[in-house]
Amino acid sequence: MEHPNRLLFLADVVLPLPLADAYTYRLSEQLAERVKVGCRLIVPFGSKKIYSALVVKVYSVPAPTGGTADGGLDVRALKDAVDLLDESPILLPWQLDLWRWIADYYLCTLGEVYKAALPSGLKLESESVVVFNPDYDDATPLTRNEQYVLDLMERLREQKVMDLQKVVDVKHVLPIVKSLLDKGAITMREELKRNYRPRTVNCVRLTDDFFDETALHKLLDDLNRAPKQRDLVLRYLDLAKVGAALTLQNRQLMVELEKSALMEGQSEAAFKGLRDRGVFELYEKNVSRLASPAKGSLAGLLDFSFSPAQQCAYDEIVAAFAERDTCLLHGVTSSGKTEIYIRLIQDQLERGRQVLYMLPEIVLTAQLVERLKRVFGDRLGVYHSKYPDAERVEVWQKQLSEQPYDIIVGVRSSVFLPFQRLGLVIIDEEHETSFKQQDPAPRYHARNVGLVIARQTGAKTLLGTATPSLESYYNAQCGRYGLVTLSERYGSVRMPRVEVVDLRDRRRRKEMVGPFSTDLVKAMREALERREQIILFQNRRGYAPQIECQVCGWVPRCDRCDVTLTLHRDNRQMTCHYCGATYPVPDRCPNCQSQELHSIGYGTERIEDNIRQLFPQARVARMDLDTTRSRTAYERLLADFEYGRTDILVGTQMVTKGLDFERVSVVGILNADTMLNMPDFRSYERAFQMLSQVAGRAGRRSRQGLVILQTKMPDLPVVKQVVTNDFDSLYSDQMEERQAFHYPPFSRVVNILMKHRDPHVVTRLSNDMAQLLRRVFGQRVLGPDTPMVSRIQLQYIRKVVLKIETAASMAEARQRMRQIQQYLLSLPEYKSAQVVYDVDPV
C-alpha cells in the first residue's frame, strides 16, 4: 500500500502492437524526473515479453490509501517501467498529433502507426531464448526428436528459438520446445533485441603519461634501436597535430586519428609494442553510416536558364502560395518541372526552412538524387526502404539534431520523419498509386498525409504531375488548390507521335512476331540502326502469367491463395505474387499425367527472351521487381541505360515513372488491354496515366519520339485521349460518370474487408456486417461481395463497400463503423476473424 502523502508517477505509452489503447506504467521517482513525452521506455508486456514503448503522457496522481487511485485506476494491476531509452524525445509534438490523425482517419490503431513509422532499429523487442536446465532429471521418456533437441541444447546451453530452428534437422521446432518446457528439461527467458547498433571505428590516442615534451623526447631517444616503432610515433605526432596541443597544453586540439589511417604501410607488431609500452591506447568512436558528399554548389542551378513557360509557371506557383497552401503543377512530360522544384527548394533554404521531396518509387530516387546533390551537396538526405535499417535510424537521429538535413528525398515512409522547420512539401508524380500503403496497416496515402503535415507545420505543398489524379484536379478546379499549367516541353521538343496498332487486325493478317507487331519490330530495328534506345512496357513480371495442360486444361494454383501461379523461368519455379510461395515447375500434369504443359501469355522475362532472339546484337536489360530487389541493382540498371550500355530496356510500370533518358526514341506498349479491362471505376483514369507516362519517355531531347501502342480495343475513348494527350476530355467524361454513380471526388469510399480461415464464417460475418451497416448508412452500403482474389494466405475474404457523401461527417461514420466492428468481433463465432478498413482505396 502506498503512503498517502506521496505521489504516484505514471506514464501512458503506446506499444508497437495492433492495440487500440495506451497502457499505463508506474515510474520510479528517478525515472519520472527524466521521462518526457516522445521518449521510449522499456516496459514489460504480458507474462514474458519486453518492448520499447513510446511515451504519450506523463503525469502523477496522489498515492491511494487503498488499491485504487483517483479516477478508478487500479494501482495494484500496474507494472513498473524497466528503463528509459532516450534522454530526449525521438518524436516531435506535431508527429504525435499526426500519428493520432492517421489512426483515426484510416481506422487503425496507434500501435500500428508506431510500428510503421519508426525504423526497425528504434523498436526494441524481446526474443524468446531457450536455456538448457542442467538439473533436469526426469524418468519420463522423451521422443526421438525431443532427445535430439535436448542433446543439442546440452551442448549449446542456450539458443534463441529462431536460431534453434535453423540448426535442427526438424521441420517445426516450436512444438518440441513446448513439450521440453512442460517437462522441465529447458527454461525460457526473454532478451531485449536491439536492432540498431552504432557503427564504430578504432581510434588511437597518446596516453596521458606521454602527453609531455620531456617524456616524448626520452621515448624517441629510447626508440633509436626500434626504428619501426620510432617511425610510427613520429607519424602519429604529425597526423594527430600533437605539436600545437603540447605547446598550448590542450589535448582538445589533437586530431582524432583512426587506427586504419595511422597504420597505412606500418607494422602491426610495432603498434602492439608501443601499446604494450603504454604509449598508445585504443578507443572506439561512433561514426555515421551516412554518406558525406562534397559540398554542393548552386552553379549548376545558376547556369540553368528557365524557358519563358517555366518562368511563367514558377511565378504563378509563388503567387498561388501567397493565397493558398496547396498548388497543383500540371506539366507535360519533359516540361522541366524538376528545375522549377529546385528553384522553389532554394527559396525555402534561403528562408532557413526544410523541404520534403516525395517520390512514388525508389527507382526514381537514383537519378534525382544525383541531380540534386550536384546543386545542394550534403544538405540533402535520402530515406527509403532499400537503405539498410541502420542508415535510416541515423537519418532519423540527424533530423532531430542541431544540424539536420535541409532536404529529404524519399518515398512514402519519409512522411514520418521529424522535421523541425518544414517549409515546403513537394509530391512529385502525385497521381501514383504507389503513394498508397496497402498492407499492413496503417493503409495511409502519403500524398494526403503530406498535406496534413504541411497544415500542421505551416508549410506549403506542391503537387506535380503530367497526369493529375482526378481528385486533385477537381480540388484545383474548385479553387481549393492553386492550378498552374505547363503545357510545352523544355527546348520546344515535340510531344511523341503515338501510333495505335490493332492487335486483332494484325493477328488476322499474320503480322505479329510473338507479342510484337511488325510495326513495332520495324521501329525498333530503325532505332537500333540509328544507335538510339528503346523502352518496352509490359505490366506483368515473370516469364508467363500461367502454365496450362493442353490435354485437360489443368492450371496450377497457389495452395494458400485463390490465384494462378506465375512461371519464372530464370529460377525454374512458379511463384504466387500475393503470398510469395514458390513451387517447382511440374514435368507432367498431376491431373492427367500429360507432358503437354505450355506457358500462356507474356511476362517481362519472356519479352526479354524474345527480344534477344529478334535482335541478338542488341544489349537488353529488364527492370521489374525481380531485378531491382537491392539498391545497387536498380542503380546499376539505370546507370547502364543512361550511359548507353543498354540498348533495349524491358520493364513493368517502373519504367513509366519519371525516368529521363535523352537517347530514347521508341517506346513500345505491348498490351494496353491489361489496364483497360480492370473491373474498377478508376481503370480508365489509371490506364490514361500509365500510358501517357510511358509514352512520355520517348523523344525527350532533339527529336520527336515514337510510341507504338498495341491494343485489341483501339476505338475506346481513352485510347484516343492518350493519342491526343487530351486530359481535359478524360476529366470531363470521368467526372460525369462519377457524379452519376457517387464515386470520388463526390463521395468518400471505404472498403471493409473481412477475413477468416473458414469460408462459411467469413460469409456469415460479411452478411451481418452489411446488415448492421445498412441500418446506419442505408443504400450507401454495397455488398457483401467476393473480391477477384477471394483467398490470400489461407484467409478467405469478403468485401463490403461504403460510400459516404463528402458533406457528411466522416468522424461520425468512423465512430459507427468502429462500434459495429467491436460488437461483431465480441461474438464468440467471430473472435478469430479480422476486419480491415481501406479508407480512400486506389
Side-chain angles (χ1 to χ4, degrees), residues 60 66 71 167 276 287 297 317 364 394 406 419 437 439 442 482 512 548 563 606 623 661 667 691 789 820:
S60 61
V167 297
D276 292 343
V287 295
S297 166
I317 291 169
L364 294 182
E394 293 191 4
D406 293 319
F419 289 92
Q437 164 74 8
D439 277 308
M512 296 292 295
E548 180 180 82
V563 292
R606 193 172 185 181
M623 180 181 285
F661 300 109
V667 168
L691 296 174
V789 180
I820 292 171

Side-chain angles (χ1 to χ4, degrees), residues 528-726:
L528 291 173
E529 289 171 356
R530 295 192 301 265
R531 299 187 179 278
E532 294 170 343
Q533 291 173 306
I534 300 156
I535 290 177
L536 297 179
F537 171 58
Q538 176 76 347
N539 208 24
R540 284 185 182 274
R541 64 187 175 100
Y543 186 80
Q546 65 184 57
I547 60 175
E548 180 180 82
C549 174
Q550 299 297 292
V551 176
C552 70
W554 172 81
V555 174
R557 305 183 73 84
C558 179
D559 294 338
R560 300 161 56 86
C561 308
D562 183 27
V563 292
T564 57
L565 297 171
T566 300
L567 175 63
H568 287 254
R569 208 172 70 171
D570 282 1
N571 50 18
R572 290 295 300 166
Q573 64 185 19
M574 301 180 297
T575 303
C576 173
H577 286 174
Y578 281 82
C579 72
T582 59
Y583 302 80
V585 180
D587 295 324
R588 59 181 67 245
C589 172
N591 192 45
C592 70
Q593 301 305 308
S594 166
Q595 292 183 317
E596 295 294 317
L597 296 174
H598 289 206
S599 55
I600 306 295
Y602 290 87
T604 48
E605 279 183 28
R606 193 172 185 181
I607 297 297
E608 182 185 17
D609 275 2
N610 286 18
I611 282 292
R612 291 186 190 278
Q613 293 169 18
L614 268 176
F615 303 107
Q617 303 304 316
R619 296 162 297 179
V620 185
R622 172 164 52 92
M623 180 181 285
D624 55 27
L625 186 62
D626 300 316
T627 61
T628 57
R629 293 193 182 277
S630 70
R631 178 177 65 183
T632 55
Y634 73 76
E635 288 177 352
R636 185 174 61 252
L637 275 168
L638 291 177
D640 286 348
F641 198 63
E642 182 174 4
Y643 293 111
R645 295 190 289 268
T646 302
D647 300 313
I648 303 175
L649 183 64
V650 178
T652 57
Q653 58 182 339
M654 286 183 176
V655 302
T656 72
K657 300 178 180 181
L659 301 177
D660 185 6
F661 300 109
E662 62 181 64
R663 295 174 57 224
V664 174
S665 64
V666 174
V667 168
I669 300 168
L670 301 184
N671 189 357
D673 303 328
T674 55
M675 293 166 282
L676 297 170
N677 289 329
M678 291 295 291
D680 185 275
F681 74 92
R682 284 195 173 94
S683 62
Y684 280 9
E685 175 191 8
R686 297 286 178 243
F688 179 89
Q689 290 166 344
M690 197 171 292
L691 296 174
S692 297
Q693 288 285 341
V694 72
R697 303 311 109 204
R700 298 170 66 85
R701 289 294 185 272
S702 59
R703 57 175 292 154
Q704 185 181 28
L706 172 65
V707 179
I708 305 289
L709 191 159
Q710 300 183 164
T711 174
K712 296 173 187 172
M713 300 178 287
D715 296 327
L716 280 178
V718 68
V719 173
K720 295 178 180 177
Q721 289 157 354
V722 170
V723 171
T724 57
N725 194 35
D726 190 356

Side-chain angles (χ1 to χ4, degrees), residues 22 79 129 217 324 328 450 455 522 547 598 759 798 827:
K79 295 181 179 180
V129 178
H217 283 303
R324 297 178 180 85
L328 173 64
R455 187 167 66 243
K522 179 185 175 186
I547 60 175
H598 289 206
R798 298 293 181 269
L827 301 177

Side-chain angles (χ1 to χ4, degrees), residues 423-442:
L424 177 64
V425 178
I426 298 172
I427 305 174
D428 200 12
E429 311 293 350
E430 66 85 25
H431 65 280
E432 277 290 347
T433 57
S434 304
F435 280 123
K436 181 74 158 74
Q437 164 74 8
Q438 300 297 343
D439 277 308

Side-chain angles (χ1 to χ4, degrees), residues 268-537:
E268 187 66 40
F271 179 80
K272 184 178 184 302
L274 290 167
R275 232 185 126 190
D276 292 343
R277 193 166 181 163
V279 178
F280 290 149
E281 61 183 355
L282 278 175
Y283 66 98
E284 286 190 339
K285 171 190 170 186
N286 289 355
V287 295
S288 174
R289 292 175 170 86
L290 305 177
S292 298
K295 291 283 184 182
S297 166
L298 290 180
L301 173 63
L302 297 176
D303 289 344
F304 177 85
S305 58
F306 275 174
S307 69
Q310 283 176 311
Q311 185 64 53
C312 181
Y314 169 79
D315 293 339
E316 288 180 16
I317 291 169
V318 172
F321 280 154
E323 298 180 4
R324 297 178 180 85
D325 292 331
T326 305
C327 180
L328 173 64
L329 173 59
H330 180 195
V332 298
T333 55
S334 198
S335 57
K337 294 187 290 295
T338 305
E339 284 72 22
I340 295 175
Y341 299 157
I342 290 172
R343 182 67 61 82
L344 292 167
I345 291 171
Q346 180 58 24
D347 292 346
Q348 293 299 319
L349 300 190
E350 289 173 356
R351 298 187 185 110
R353 307 296 295 274
Q354 292 173 293
V355 177
L356 170 59
Y357 191 147
M358 277 202 294
L359 296 161
E361 289 277 4
I362 293 168
V363 72
L364 294 182
T365 60
Q367 269 198 325
L368 180 68
V369 167
E370 183 181 346
R371 191 171 179 181
L372 292 180
K373 278 188 173 176
R374 287 199 296 267
V375 179
F376 299 110
D378 57 4
R379 301 180 77 174
L380 179 140
V382 183
Y383 191 83
H384 59 62
S385 60
K386 283 292 197 300
Y387 272 63
D389 188 70
E391 289 189 24
R392 281 181 280 148
V393 170
E394 293 191 4
V395 171
W396 189 287
Q397 292 171 337
K398 184 171 176 62
Q399 291 309 94
L400 289 169
S401 71
E402 294 180 357
Q403 292 184 314
Y405 287 120
D406 293 319
I407 312 153
I408 288 288
V409 176
V411 291
R412 63 173 178 256
S413 57
S414 60
V415 297
F416 293 114
L417 282 170
F419 289 92
Q420 302 179 54
R421 39 186 173 78
L422 189 63
L424 177 64
V425 178
I426 298 172
I427 305 174
D428 200 12
E429 311 293 350
E430 66 85 25
H431 65 280
E432 277 290 347
T433 57
S434 304
F435 280 123
K436 181 74 158 74
Q437 164 74 8
Q438 300 297 343
D439 277 308
R443 294 169 180 82
Y444 66 98
H445 198 302
R447 178 192 62 206
N448 299 342
V449 174
L451 291 166
V452 173
I453 291 171
R455 187 167 66 243
Q456 288 178 324
T457 58
K460 302 294 185 181
T461 306
L462 180 63
L463 308 175
T465 177
T467 53
S469 66
L470 298 189
E471 286 93 333
S472 294
Y473 201 72
Y474 176 80
N475 284 330
Q477 293 292 328
C478 293
R480 297 190 187 100
Y481 302 165
L483 176 62
V484 176
T485 302
L486 190 56
S487 56
E488 64 180 55
R489 286 182 151 193
Y490 183 77
S492 301
V493 175
R494 290 181 293 169
M495 293 294 289
R497 177 167 54 92
V498 181
E499 291 185 5
V500 179
V501 173
D502 186 342
L503 288 177
R504 291 173 304 181
D505 179 60
R506 290 295 189 273
R507 287 202 173 100
R508 189 172 62 251
R509 297 185 185 184
K510 302 189 184 309
E511 294 180 357
M512 296 292 295
V513 183
F516 313 112
S517 64
T518 51
D519 311 65
L520 180 55
V521 173
K522 179 185 175 186
M524 288 192 289
R525 182 172 288 111
E526 291 173 352
L528 291 173
E529 289 171 356
R530 295 192 301 265
R531 299 187 179 278
E532 294 170 343
Q533 291 173 306
I534 300 156
I535 290 177
L536 297 179
F537 171 58

Side-chain angles (χ1 to χ4, degrees), residues 167-184:
V167 297
V168 299
D169 189 21
V170 177
K171 188 172 183 181
H172 297 295
V173 78
L174 271 177
I176 301 170
V177 169
K178 183 180 184 302
S179 178
L180 291 173
L181 188 64
D182 293 340
K183 293 173 181 176

